[in-house]
Amino acid sequence: MKIGVVGCGQVGSASAYACALRGVGSQLVLIDHNPGFAAAQAEDILHATPFAAPVRVRAGNYADLAGAGIVMIAAGVSQKQGETRLDLLKRNAAVFAEIIPQILDAAPEAILLIASNPVDIMTHLAADIAAKSHKLPAARVIGSGTILDTARFRALLGQHLGVSSHSVHAYVMGEHGDSEVLHWSGATIGNLKLSSFAEQAGIPVTETLRAEIDDGVRRAAYRIIQGKGATWYGIGAGMARIAQAIQDDEQTVLTCAVLTEEVAGVKNVTLSMPRIIAAGGVTRSIYPACDAAEQAALQNSATILRRAADELDLP
């Protein structure tokens, strides 16, 4: 499968690099508003392929996306000093309005994977542009959403319990941001509820521990940004994982952001829920049972994101 990457900064290049390491895609085409930068990133990643998978990597332009099954979008502008969040959103909306029609003109069958932040509202915006310009279904416009937050949750919980994160099943839903919801009530280790496993293992999961893990998940990006300016490895791996699920028609469950008819009583909102990902994109959304506090938090998160969409006059 040919995979395009539009926007070759830290997140876009990390996504392409993770694809090369995992062997996702047979060909990667990197595009950036600075062609020389895209060419340099492509050459650097190509030189890693003898140690990884034999993926062909090159720079190109929008026409070179012809036949692509997936296009990752990590393009966008940075916030200027004194600029409001709404002003930033409007400038990024202009970027998406320019690039998405060009992507779909060249690759009308592609599934769009969005990594640009704020990812929930940018995914909503991308879905609206793609639907109006090329009638692309919302299920084929997927934001990375809380895939990384879910990974952080599982990693920290597994670390505390002394088990592999691969044996931890727990989700983060809602916004990829401050209002996200850690689904503690549905967490399982193997096929055991968290409380049952913790009791058997003699490892208590206290309210203090929950608060520490919540902070570890919710504030991770802030700590990383403070330390090195931005995050890119984790989300790059998450983007490659979504692409692999599409490429291999896995029917796997991942927490991704998709425009959804209704969540927690809020209509037409883009946020993360567990989604079944296959060759056609999102084939089904899953709505786990939540306790009262989680349900209220999910409704709050959905409301915040719907208000953000309203700021851009999105349907």
Side-chain angles (χ1 to χ4, degrees):
M1 176 183 286
K2 181 190 287 187
I3 297 175
V5 180
V6 178
C8 297
Q10 298 286 18
V11 172
S13 61
S15 299
Y17 183 54
C19 284
L21 292 181
R22 294 181 68 99
V24 180
S26 58
Q27 180 182 172
L28 298 172
V29 179
L30 277 58
I31 299 171
D32 195 86
H33 72 281
N34 180 345
F37 183 61
Q41 294 283 42
E43 185 175 5
D44 197 12
I45 294 169
L46 177 66
H47 295 164
T49 58
F51 310 112
V55 180
R56 301 190 303 278
V57 188
R58 65 188 180 95
N61 53 39
Y62 290 103
D64 294 316
L65 294 175
I70 297 169
V71 177
M72 300 177 174
I73 302 177
V77 295
S78 301
Q79 193 164 9
K80 297 177 179 178
Q81 185 173 2
E83 185 177 39
T84 68
R85 174 180 173 277
L86 181 57
D87 287 339
L88 175 62
L89 280 172
K90 287 180 176 177
R91 288 202 297 130
N92 273 321
V95 172
F96 270 36
E98 178 182 352
I99 67 175
I100 288 175
Q102 293 185 76
I103 292 169
L104 293 175
D105 282 346
E109 302 301 318
I111 293 172
L112 304 182
L113 298 187
I114 312 300
S116 305
N117 274 321
V119 70
D120 304 292
I121 190 64
M122 296 307 292
T123 302
H124 195 134
L125 175 66
D128 183 58
I129 294 169
K132 289 176 178 175
S133 68
H134 289 76
K135 298 183 179 179
L136 194 70
R140 297 179 68 85
V141 183
I142 305 171
S144 56
T146 60
I147 191 170
L148 179 54
D149 308 275
T150 289
R152 290 165 174 161
F153 187 18
R154 294 179 180 185
L156 292 176
L157 196 51
Q159 183 179 54
H160 174 73
L161 296 171
V163 300
S164 167
S165 59
H166 289 245
S167 297
V168 179
H169 298 278
Y171 298 112
V172 178
M173 303 181 291
E175 177 192 16
H176 173 56
D178 293 341
S179 72
E180 64 190 23
V181 182
L182 278 66
H183 188 218
W184 284 98
S185 69
T188 62
I189 313 300
N191 67 344
L192 293 178
K193 289 186 177 180
L194 173 60
S195 57
S196 297
F197 181 91
E199 183 179 357
Q200 288 188 34
I203 304 173
V205 178
T206 64
E207 289 303 315
T208 298
L209 175 77
R210 289 190 182 216
E212 289 174 356
I213 290 179
D214 184 284
D215 181 75
V217 174
R218 198 180 303 272
R219 304 293 298 176
Y222 294 101
R223 289 190 297 274
I224 294 168
I225 290 169
Q226 184 177 21
K228 67 174 193 175
T231 67
W232 56 84
Y233 293 126
I235 191 56
M239 290 286 282
R241 181 67 189 93
I242 300 169
Q244 184 174 37
I246 295 167
Q247 172 188 267
D248 297 343
D249 194 21
E250 287 186 16
Q251 304 282 345
T252 196
V253 178
L254 300 171
T255 48
C256 301
V258 177
L259 179 58
T260 308
E261 185 175 340
E262 183 176 345
V263 175
V266 180
K267 297 184 182 299
N268 295 325
V269 63
T270 299
L271 47 59
S272 288
M273 299 294 292
R275 319 278 187 177
I276 299 177
I277 309 294
V282 173
T283 62
R284 182 179 300 173
S285 297
I286 299 171
Y287 301 89
C290 297
D291 63 26
E294 290 165 347
Q295 186 67 22
L298 185 59
Q299 183 180 56
N300 175 63
S301 190
T303 299
I304 289 170
L305 291 169
R306 182 59 252 181
R307 287 173 181 164
D310 289 338
E311 288 180 340
L312 291 179
D313 297 321
L314 292 172

